Amino acid sequence: MSTPLRILRLIASSRGADSESLRLSQQVLDGLAARHSLAVQDIDLNDLPHADSAYAVALASAPGAVQAEAGSTLQRSAELIRQLDDADMLLIATPMHNYTVPSALKAWIDHIVRIHVTFNGTPQGKVGLLRDRPVYVAIASGGLISGEHARQPDFLRPYLQAALATVGLRDLHFFCVEGTARGEPALSEARASAHAAITGFFTPA
Ligand SMILES: Cc1cc2nc3c(=O)[nH]c(=O)nc-3n(C[C@H](O)[C@H](O)[C@H](O)COP(=O)(O)O)c2cc1C
């Protein structure tokens, strides 16, 4: 029996089982499960605290100068980085909120993008310290965000690409259900199109 692939799934929607992005991420898991055995760890990002002042002080201090106290944001950050480090693949289930990532996902990014820990500053710019691995991103948006009929900017995908590249994660794959607010039959069509994209991606040529 092969060792299961360790998948870390981040859940950014606050809508629980009704979440469209969570449903889409399940299809990504189904695509992966057709080829591998999986060990999935879910993190509900809506429970995360924001970066607080002690955390900001620690980030601005010399490496190792501030010890993480039990229950501190710094300790939570260390735990989130360890979970990310341990994973073979990352799966992010996220809605678009105001053209970009929801604040819950932004809070996770603030916890894992850490100087001297997950990236180093160099004269040439920031250099990521984590090993690269596939990152699947399941996005749900109320309106369209791709193609000639989109009527809003999409800062979500380019932002996530830039933020994760900072720590060394560059192998991103996006799947989207776009136009969840447009009602039927557009929603069913958007779901079918996203499902076809996932199936096509995970089916060997
Ligand atoms: C605070 C908030 C902001 C939103 N901003 C956008 C937006 O900028 N563009 C968009 O297309 N949809 C926007 N939406 C709609 C969600 O992206 C859409 O309902 C999505 O399907 C929700 O996914 P979920 O079910 O996984 O939470 C917003 C929803 C909320 C609650």
Side-chain angles (χ1 to χ4, degrees):
M1 181 100 171
S2 61
T3 313
L5 273 181
R6 292 160 302 178
I7 313 287
L8 181 65
R9 177 167 60 174
L10 308 178
I11 300 169
S13 173
S14 56
R15 298 195 334 112
D18 292 334
S19 164
E20 189 74 36
S21 55
L22 182 64
R23 196 174 305 134
L24 188 62
S25 74
Q26 197 56 47
Q27 294 174 10
V28 174
L29 288 180
D30 293 344
L32 287 165
R35 288 202 264 163
H36 309 275
S37 58
L38 306 180
V40 181
Q41 178 181 13
D42 283 340
I43 306 182
D44 184 344
L45 302 182
N46 289 282
D47 296 336
L48 275 188
H50 284 148
D52 57 17
S53 78
Y55 182 70
V57 167
L59 262 57
S61 304
V66 178
Q67 297 305 311
E69 289 176 16
S72 66
T73 311
L74 195 59
Q75 190 190 54
R76 191 71 206 272
S77 161
E79 182 191 352
L80 292 167
I81 291 169
R82 184 189 50 72
Q83 289 167 332
L84 176 57
D85 215 17
D86 286 349
D88 297 310
M89 293 181 185
L90 180 64
L91 171 58
I92 302 176
T94 184
M96 170 179 274
H97 279 180
N98 293 308
Y99 314 138
T100 186
V101 296
S103 59
L105 179 51
K106 178 60 166 54
W108 178 83
I109 290 168
D110 290 341
H111 281 81
I112 64 100
V113 179
R114 272 183 55 193
I115 189 155
H116 310 307
V117 181
T118 54
F119 77 92
N120 275 332
T122 78
Q124 288 73 41
K126 296 174 181 177
V127 176
L129 297 175
L130 299 182
R131 73 184 186 289
D132 202 4
R133 70 207 88 167
V135 178
Y136 301 105
V137 188
I139 300 172
S141 60
L144 301 181
I145 58 171
S146 308
E148 58 179 322
H149 298 297
R151 295 288 177 271
Q152 59 182 339
D154 170 19
F155 298 116
L156 195 165
R157 285 177 285 189
Y159 170 69
L160 215 43
Q161 261 162 341
L164 294 181
T166 305
V167 298
L169 301 178
R170 299 178 176 278
D171 185 17
L172 270 60
H173 305 273
F174 293 101
F175 301 103
C176 306
V177 172
E178 300 185 32
T180 60
R182 299 169 80 215
E184 294 294 354
L187 177 55
S188 293
E189 288 165 13
R191 285 174 172 161
S193 152
H195 189 246
I198 291 171
T199 306
F201 184 88
F202 288 106
T203 304

